[in-house]
């Protein structure tokens, strides 16, 4: 939240408390929940779906904020870091190219170049010439 606060201050000059930012994010999530099925339906025809997750603490629990991204839509989901999160959201109806950092249980999977490059660099740096 502190990074969001800092970014808002830098980009807009707006100074908000972390509590206000947190509540705004939660309220936006509650307000958009009824749209989730419609948003998932809008993801299905996309030829490519990029998926990534980042840690998300909520009430002392470590969860994950998932971003499902197409050229026209971004859907955020919060939940465990398991394949079931995606399977429940997409319900076996997405058949396009699936781009992610390491989740390979999907047909037509491509690994994100940034993550692949980072792994290759780490491998190169960890080996003896």
């Amino acid at each position: 939240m502190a990074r969001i606060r800092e970014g808002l201050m830098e980009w807009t000059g707006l100074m908000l408390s972390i509590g206000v930012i947190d509540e705004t994010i939660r309220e936006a999530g509650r307000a958009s929940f009824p749209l989730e099925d419609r948003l998932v339906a809008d993801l299905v025809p996309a030829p490519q779906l990029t998926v990534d997750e980042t840690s998300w603490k909520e009430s002392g629990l470590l969860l994950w904020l998932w971003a499902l991204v197409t050229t026209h839509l971004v859907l955020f989901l919060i939940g465990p870091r398991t394949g079931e999160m995606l399977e429940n959201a997409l319900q076996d109806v997405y058949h396009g190219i699936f781009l992610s950092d390491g989740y390979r249980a999907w047909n037509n999977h491509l690994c994100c170049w940034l993550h692949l490059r980072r792994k290759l660099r780490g491998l190169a740096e960890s080996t003896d010439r």
Side-chain angles (χ1 to χ4, degrees):
M1 294 295 171
R3 289 172 65 191
I4 294 171
R5 182 177 190 227
E6 184 178 307
L8 285 171
M9 176 73 164
E10 184 178 312
W11 297 326
T12 67
L14 189 60
M15 179 65 127
L16 297 174
S17 71
I18 290 176
V20 166
I21 295 168
D22 182 66
E23 186 55 34
T24 301
I25 291 170
R26 292 175 194 286
E27 185 59 32
R30 285 188 289 270
S32 62
F33 181 73
L35 300 173
E36 184 179 331
D37 290 339
R38 173 64 194 267
L39 293 172
V40 169
D42 288 348
L43 288 173
V44 171
Q48 178 179 312
L49 177 63
T50 302
V51 176
D52 204 0
E53 78 286 340
T54 190
S55 59
W56 181 270
K57 290 185 181 177
E58 188 169 305
S59 301
L61 293 174
L62 177 59
L63 298 173
W64 298 88
L65 174 66
W66 293 80
L68 287 70
V69 183
T70 71
T71 55
H72 303 293
L73 177 71
V74 178
L75 174 62
F76 293 103
L77 302 170
I78 297 172
R81 190 180 193 194
T82 65
E84 291 177 20
M85 266 304 285
L86 295 178
E87 292 164 11
N88 289 339
L90 300 175
Q91 307 211 0
D92 295 328
V93 294
Y94 182 75
H95 300 291
I97 296 171
F98 187 87
L99 181 67
S100 71
D101 53 358
Y103 182 71
R104 292 175 180 81
W106 211 264
N107 291 332
N108 299 326
H109 173 264
L110 292 176
C111 186
C112 169
W113 279 109
L114 182 63
H115 286 87
L116 185 58
R117 193 172 92 188
R118 190 180 310 143
K119 288 178 183 180
L120 290 172
R121 184 181 299 130
L123 180 62
E125 291 172 357
S126 69
T127 58
D128 187 2
R129 295 187 190 267

